[in-house]
Amino acid sequence: MAWNQVPGMPELQAQLTEIPELYQTPANKLDAWIERFLQPNETFNSQVLEAIDRIATFLKENCFKTTQVHKVVKGGSSGKGTALKNGSDADLVVFLSAFQCLQDQYKERGSVIAEIREMLNKCRKSIAYELVIDEPRVNLDPKGQLRQPRSLSFSIRSRKVNEAIDVDVLPAFDILGHVTTDAKPDPMVYISLIEACAGPGDFTPCFTELQRNFVKRCPPKLKSLIRLVKQWYKTYLKTKYKGHSLPHKYALELLTIYAWEQGSRAEDFPTEQGFCTIMNLLCQYQELCIYWTTYYDFENPIVGNYVREQLRKPRPVILDPADPTFAVGQETRWDLVAAEAAVCLRSACSKNGLGPIQPWNVPPQTPIQISVRNISGSLLTMSVSPWVTVSQIKEEIQRKWSISIYDQRLCIQGLEPGRGLLQDGCTLADYNVFSNTTVNLLTTASQEINLFVRNTDGRTYTFQIQTHITVGDLKKKIQERLNVPAPQQRLTYSDRELEDHNPLKYYNIKNESTIFLLLRLRGGGKCDMV
């Protein structure tokens, strides 16, 4: 049967061809564009809910003969409230009594999916919807061994309207139990998940309720922005790069939420600015490290250490906020996504009358709060990336508290023995710091030392100085005493020329060290006679 002979397809094709090119849509028209072409109407929403409810009821009441169904949870775009017009998907996670642990789910889900397939085929008429069940996919693990399928995929179409809905049914172990979905699960839930040692995201369906609520809580305007990003993904990535391993659209949904949380948090915001922010972040994909502590954090040692290991993986890293084993989009073609995002930023939808739209100031890594405490107990709080260097933190302390970076010693309690003092060239991530923490500031008083300065005539002069003064300050003292203009002085120590802006501490100059004074010629040359 030809594509245009499939019931409902000509109408659907006509609807799709009416959607104007996103890249040619002016930025200030994006809200209207989303409302007209992407936002599902109430009739469509009610049809989706009716279809999903009917399938869920069948799974719970009529599908299994011996296994009890604890509950059926609705996820996917329909459950999250981010469905696209003419394109809705739903996940139905079936929590079964037959699974007493995660390993049961891993070993037996294949036979459960086969049973669901058989019962759906037998009961098509009673469901009152046309079902097209996909053929089972062959999945291999890294060792080449056959993996049991994770889900049963099919599409359903109402006999009354020409609207298709893609459905995935996923059997799962009820690891959350009676935990309310707005509370943080007990750490033992995640310890069990980590100890199960399955593949990345293998048990993600167990956390569907948390994933759904994480997105569902978003304000309507943010959900509209998510729809826009998903449409961009569908139109310009899935179509253009067929056959390539692209990040799942869930990664872009999470990136959209992160951009809004860091850049706006307003219920109403300029859609075009949010969209450009996401495209800008995609262009920086090699720097992305995004995570949340909504449902798991660093307090439990086992969970905390595991999450830190995940965050130290090669970027981009976007951790599922509900499942720490699922780094969304790992080992996929982010470079293709970034290339298309760069095209988008050059298009009409990313410009206004004054030129390119300015994105929100959103860092590519989830920022943390560090509180710097000095000896007197005063606190200096700053928001930084885990990949900020210790030197950069010291520079900020110098700017706020006027304490020379060379007089600062920073340490964090609880680090491994011998790693207490933070080294200038290291980052907080090097010390496994990915959450809010307190840094103690120790200051070292500048010492007064005797410094020997050997003049060009071979005579040596003694100066009593503080080691925190700069080379420029020392030149002024030499000028006062030896009547040699500072601009004509060239000072060297250990065969290294000293630069005016650096303090003497920078060169590790100690008590009774000798500095050589050379002269510059008036034309800028050097006179090296000693």
Side-chain angles (χ1 to χ4, degrees):
M1 182 181 293
W3 186 90
N4 60 4
Q5 293 176 323
V6 176
M9 284 301 178
E11 293 85 350
L12 179 59
Q13 185 183 33
Q15 291 171 343
L16 291 174
T17 54
E18 291 176 3
I19 300 179
E21 174 74 31
L22 170 60
Y23 285 175
Q24 296 175 5
T25 302
N28 61 355
K29 303 293 184 183
L30 284 179
D31 284 325
W33 192 86
I34 294 170
E35 179 67 27
R36 181 177 179 186
F37 300 108
L38 304 186
Q39 187 81 29
N41 56 45
E42 292 184 7
T43 302
F44 173 73
N45 281 335
S46 64
Q47 292 165 356
V48 170
L49 289 174
E50 180 186 352
I52 297 302
D53 284 343
R54 188 176 290 271
I55 297 294
T57 300
F58 166 78
L59 291 170
K60 192 168 185 178
E61 299 178 359
N62 306 108
C63 188
F64 301 99
K65 296 178 181 178
T66 59
T67 300
Q68 179 185 356
V69 177
H70 291 314
K71 57 186 174 182
V72 177
V73 174
K74 304 168 190 175
S77 64
S78 298
K80 297 172 185 173
T82 59
L84 291 171
K85 188 176 184 179
N86 302 317
S88 179
D89 62 90
D91 292 340
L92 290 176
V93 183
V94 186
F95 293 94
L96 303 171
S97 62
F99 298 155
Q100 297 297 310
C101 63
L102 291 172
Q103 290 302 330
D104 286 350
Q105 174 184 328
Y106 187 78
K107 294 175 182 177
E108 300 174 22
R109 64 189 179 191
S111 59
V112 171
I113 289 172
E115 184 178 355
I116 297 173
R117 177 188 296 274
E118 181 181 355
M119 291 302 296
L120 280 175
N121 279 319
K122 287 182 178 179
C123 304
R124 288 173 184 265
K125 293 182 180 180
S126 65
I127 296 176
Y129 284 85
E130 295 180 5
L131 269 70
V132 180
I133 302 176
D134 296 350
E135 290 299 317
R137 295 180 182 178
V138 177
N139 292 317
L140 301 178
D141 64 19
K143 296 181 180 179
Q145 300 296 317
L146 183 65
R147 271 183 175 171
Q148 294 198 49
R150 295 177 56 184
S151 64
L152 172 66
S153 299
F154 57 90
S155 61
I156 55 178
R157 182 183 301 278
S158 171
R159 296 191 176 100
K160 300 177 182 178
V161 294
N162 294 314
E163 199 67 70
I165 305 158
D166 295 324
V167 179
D168 285 329
V169 177
L170 304 101
F173 166 57
D174 189 10
I175 194 172
L176 293 176
H178 299 291
V179 174
T180 57
T181 53
D182 58 350
K184 186 172 285 190
D186 189 287
M188 284 305 302
V189 167
Y190 289 109
I191 292 174
S192 299
L193 175 66
I194 293 165
E195 292 177 346
C197 299
D202 247 352
F203 297 120
T204 294
C206 300
F207 302 93
T208 296
E209 290 172 280
L210 303 184
Q211 292 173 325
R212 180 194 64 191
N213 289 358
F214 184 79
V215 179
K216 197 172 182 179
R217 64 183 173 81
C218 297
K221 189 71 177 284
L222 179 54
K223 290 180 181 178
S224 292
L225 179 58
I226 290 174
R227 288 189 179 92
L228 178 61
V229 174
K230 287 168 64 175
Q231 181 68 24
W232 173 80
Y233 176 91
K234 175 181 175 182
T235 304
Y236 298 101
L237 290 174
K238 296 293 285 186
T239 303
K240 188 173 181 179
Y241 299 109
K242 285 183 178 179
H244 291 279
S245 177
L246 295 171
H248 193 278
K249 64 179 182 295
Y250 182 45
L252 272 65
E253 291 181 31
L254 293 176
L255 184 65
T256 302
I257 294 172
Y258 170 78
W260 173 79
E261 288 178 340
Q262 297 295 326
S264 174
R265 283 196 175 271
E267 293 201 4
D268 190 20
F269 55 86
T271 297
E272 62 273 20
Q273 190 174 26
F275 186 55
C276 288
T277 302
I278 296 154
M279 296 298 113
N280 186 60
L281 286 171
L282 290 174
C283 290
Q284 305 175 65
Y285 73 96
Q286 292 173 310
E287 298 298 319
L288 293 178
C289 184
I290 297 169
Y291 56 100
W292 290 265
T293 55
T294 307
Y295 301 118
Y296 55 84
D297 53 36
F298 301 90
E299 292 186 11
N300 180 275
I302 295 176
V303 178
N305 288 336
Y306 181 85
V307 174
R308 291 183 185 97
E309 289 177 8
Q310 290 284 74
L311 297 177
R312 291 174 65 84
K313 286 183 176 179
R315 288 171 271 175
V317 174
I318 301 178
L319 278 193
D320 186 331
D323 177 3
T325 70
F326 190 22
V328 189
Q330 281 278 295
E331 300 180 357
T332 53
R333 295 295 304 273
W334 283 93
D335 57 322
L336 300 179
V337 180
E340 192 61 39
V343 174
C344 182
L345 288 172
R346 296 193 296 268
S347 304
C349 61
S350 302
K351 298 177 181 178
N352 55 27
L354 302 176
I357 292 171
Q358 186 67 28
W360 293 324
N361 183 22
V362 175
Q365 297 109 24
T366 298
I368 60 175
Q369 298 290 326
I370 64 169
S371 298
V372 181
R373 177 187 290 128
N374 63 19
I375 297 176
S376 67
S378 298
L379 285 178
L380 172 62
T381 301
M382 58 182 80
S383 178
V384 299
S385 160
W387 279 269
V388 69
T389 64
V390 175
S391 293
Q392 290 172 314
I393 295 174
K394 287 184 175 181
E395 289 170 2
E396 181 66 11
I397 294 172
Q398 177 177 270
R399 192 175 72 84
K400 292 291 182 65
W401 279 349
S402 301
I403 301 174
S404 169
I405 59 175
Y406 303 101
D407 291 338
Q408 298 177 34
R409 298 292 182 271
L410 301 181
C411 66
I412 298 177
Q413 292 181 350
L415 289 180
E416 299 173 12
R419 302 191 73 195
L421 284 179
L422 307 185
Q423 302 302 310
D424 287 356
C426 295
T427 67
L428 294 179
D430 291 329
Y431 294 100
N432 280 327
V433 176
F434 291 98
S435 57
N436 298 347
T437 191
T438 298
V439 176
N440 293 319
L441 169 63
L442 309 175
T443 56
T444 57
S446 293
Q447 299 175 332
E448 186 172 84
I449 63 172
N450 290 322
L451 183 64
F452 302 141
V453 177
R454 183 170 294 178
N455 197 1
T456 55
D457 59 8
R459 297 177 63 184
T460 298
Y461 300 85
T462 301
F463 289 80
Q464 288 186 332
I465 59 166
Q466 297 284 332
T467 54
H468 73 273
I469 71 167
T470 65
V471 174
D473 294 332
L474 175 60
K475 286 183 177 181
K476 292 177 183 178
K477 292 181 179 294
I478 294 173
Q479 175 176 317
E480 293 173 358
R481 186 168 175 184
L482 304 184
N483 200 29
V484 178
Q488 294 183 25
Q489 297 176 32
R490 177 172 170 255
L491 303 181
T492 64
Y493 176 71
S494 296
D495 296 324
R496 184 180 182 186
E497 184 168 353
L498 310 185
E499 299 182 18
D500 288 359
H501 61 277
N502 287 330
L504 298 180
K505 274 189 174 184
Y506 179 82
Y507 299 100
N508 200 29
I509 295 174
K510 303 184 183 302
N511 188 43
E512 298 186 347
S513 296
T514 299
I515 288 178
F516 292 89
L517 169 63
L518 308 176
L519 298 181
R520 300 182 188 277
L521 299 178
R522 293 184 182 275
K526 303 172 183 177
C527 177
D528 292 337
M529 292 186 302
V530 177

